[in-house]
Amino acid sequence: METSAEDHILDYAGSFRLLRKVADGGMATVYEAEQLGPAGFAKRVALKVIHPQYASERHWLQLFIDEAKLSANLAHGNIVQIYQLGEVDGQYYMAMEYIQGPTLRSIIDRHAELQQAMPLPIAAYIASRVCRALDYAHNFVAPGGQRLDVVHRDVSPGNIMASWDGHIKLADFGIAKARTSFDPAAERHILMGKKHYMSPEQALALAVDARSDVFTLGVVLYEMLTLEPLFKEDITDLLLDEVTVHPLPSVRARVPQLPGEIEEILTRALARDPNRRPTAAAMGHALDRWIERQRPVATPDRLQEHLPTIFPTALKRISGSS
């Protein structure tokens, strides 16, 4: 792997060996790495490193630290696990579970490229597993007994991972809101989240709770069903109108054969009035009831079988096949 000047300082006293850069976001870079130990021990991890310019800003560094502290206790099968928060010479990093597989963003884009609809049971399965992750986070109680009222605030296709063996993981609690965490959105009145995946209350910089994540998951589910984003405007004022005022497009107009149950689940999740939305648990249960009646039932095995049909070359590289 070619290393830059920044990469060289990320050796972390021999604790990690960087393998490749996975993603370079606005606030941090994520590497695939190996955590090294005695007697040849090596564990594959993802290493998230905050950019120096953000590490020097108290607000953003505190967000990074809060993400690690919060996520470290969110032990759930559908949430990416955080193993360690570290600092070397002012360089902050967190080591976390490495998911070998594509993001939902890649899955949606690949289906669109192939002009092939995502199988409905698989879309419902992915959404139901994100519901499980959100339900756990929304109702999480800290070891001291305090309910944290966690709100992810960044549920989007890029933060939903699928492992090659068919499991779904929600990642990146970097801008999550919790009762015990610093919240720059409240202190500085700024929008937190990806603008095309915001609830109406989030887009208006109002107070948000768990119901905001449900709306955002509805936006993601719409995109899985149609292979098109629900909100498309790039100019902020026009986007605000699109999210908060304009009638939402009909999913049935785009997917005529959509079962009524799935349409109802989606419609309830996308209610502009938060009081009309289901909880993440209720949305997940409704999806699971529909999934259980399908043949074959959507399971990790079904997703595992589907992914090679859209990413054949990626799996060949991983297996070492020519």
Side-chain angles (χ1 to χ4, degrees):
M1 165 181 156
E2 295 184 3
T3 56
S4 64
E6 181 190 24
D7 296 338
H8 283 300
I9 66 173
L10 300 178
D11 186 21
Y12 298 120
S15 297
F16 299 94
R17 177 168 60 233
L18 302 181
L19 301 177
R20 66 185 182 97
K21 185 181 291 186
V22 175
D24 198 359
M27 186 175 171
T29 299
V30 178
Y31 297 88
E32 180 184 352
E34 285 185 328
Q35 186 172 12
L36 305 177
F41 172 87
K43 179 180 179 64
R44 191 66 54 96
V45 298
L47 205 65
K48 184 174 182 178
V49 184
I50 188 171
H51 295 321
Q53 64 268 33
Y54 288 102
S56 64
E57 292 283 340
R58 178 182 65 86
H59 298 292
W60 301 114
L61 177 58
Q62 191 61 51
L63 264 184
F64 188 82
I65 292 171
D66 283 349
E67 176 190 1
K69 291 166 67 176
L70 172 65
S71 301
N73 288 308
L74 295 178
H76 188 275
N78 296 115
I79 294 176
V80 171
Q81 300 299 289
I82 302 296
Y83 301 137
Q84 176 185 350
L85 173 69
E87 179 268 329
V88 173
D89 297 330
Q91 191 85 41
Y92 282 82
Y93 66 91
M94 68 179 81
M96 52 192 182
E97 181 182 8
Y98 178 72
I99 308 301
Q100 188 162 274
T103 64
L104 180 56
R105 172 79 279 145
S106 297
I107 294 172
I108 292 172
D109 289 348
R110 182 60 178 155
H111 280 94
E113 181 183 342
L114 295 171
Q115 298 184 343
Q116 174 185 325
M118 186 182 299
L120 181 54
I122 286 178
Y125 162 75
I126 291 171
S128 78
R129 270 35 183 190
V130 178
C131 283
R132 294 182 183 192
L134 290 174
D135 176 53
Y136 176 85
H138 292 162
N139 294 288
F140 181 73
V141 176
Q146 182 182 18
R147 183 185 172 94
L148 296 188
D149 295 326
V150 175
V151 186
H152 188 282
R153 291 198 295 197
D154 201 14
V155 179
S156 60
N159 286 335
I160 298 169
M161 303 290 301
S163 63
W164 292 122
D165 59 359
H167 294 279
I168 299 299
K169 303 272 188 173
L170 178 62
D172 202 344
F173 282 73
I175 61 169
K177 172 182 174 291
R179 188 183 295 274
T180 56
S181 300
F182 164 72
D183 185 8
E187 181 173 308
R188 303 172 70 180
H189 303 289
I190 58 176
L191 295 179
M192 302 292 291
K194 296 178 180 67
K195 64 182 183 179
H196 292 100
Y197 297 92
M198 289 188 178
S199 67
E201 59 270 30
Q202 188 177 7
L204 293 170
L206 302 175
V208 299
D209 58 26
R211 298 170 296 183
S212 179
D213 285 341
V214 171
F215 183 96
T216 303
L217 179 55
V219 176
V220 174
L221 178 56
Y222 177 95
E223 190 168 348
M224 283 194 282
L225 298 176
T226 66
L227 305 182
E228 292 184 358
L230 177 59
F231 302 123
K232 302 178 182 179
E233 292 287 355
D234 285 321
I235 299 173
T236 299
D237 289 344
L238 296 178
L239 178 64
L240 284 176
D241 287 343
E242 193 177 26
V243 174
T244 62
V245 177
H246 294 166
L248 297 177
S250 166
V251 66
R252 185 169 291 281
R254 295 283 293 107
V255 189
Q257 304 304 316
L258 186 69
E261 290 171 82
I262 299 297
E263 183 180 21
E264 182 180 355
I265 292 168
L266 182 63
T267 299
R268 293 187 63 208
L270 292 174
R272 286 201 166 104
D273 179 357
N275 292 317
R276 296 180 56 200
R277 298 173 204 152
T279 62
M283 181 179 177
H285 291 328
L287 287 164
D288 285 340
R289 285 193 296 270
W290 181 84
I291 290 169
E292 287 167 2
R293 294 196 299 273
Q294 309 310 304
R295 292 295 178 270
V297 175
T299 62
D301 288 346
R302 178 106 184 256
L303 180 57
Q304 181 182 24
E305 292 167 359
H306 178 68
L307 289 176
T309 69
I310 59 171
F311 296 113
T313 57
L315 284 174
K316 283 181 180 179
R317 287 197 301 271
I318 290 169
S319 65
S321 301
S322 58

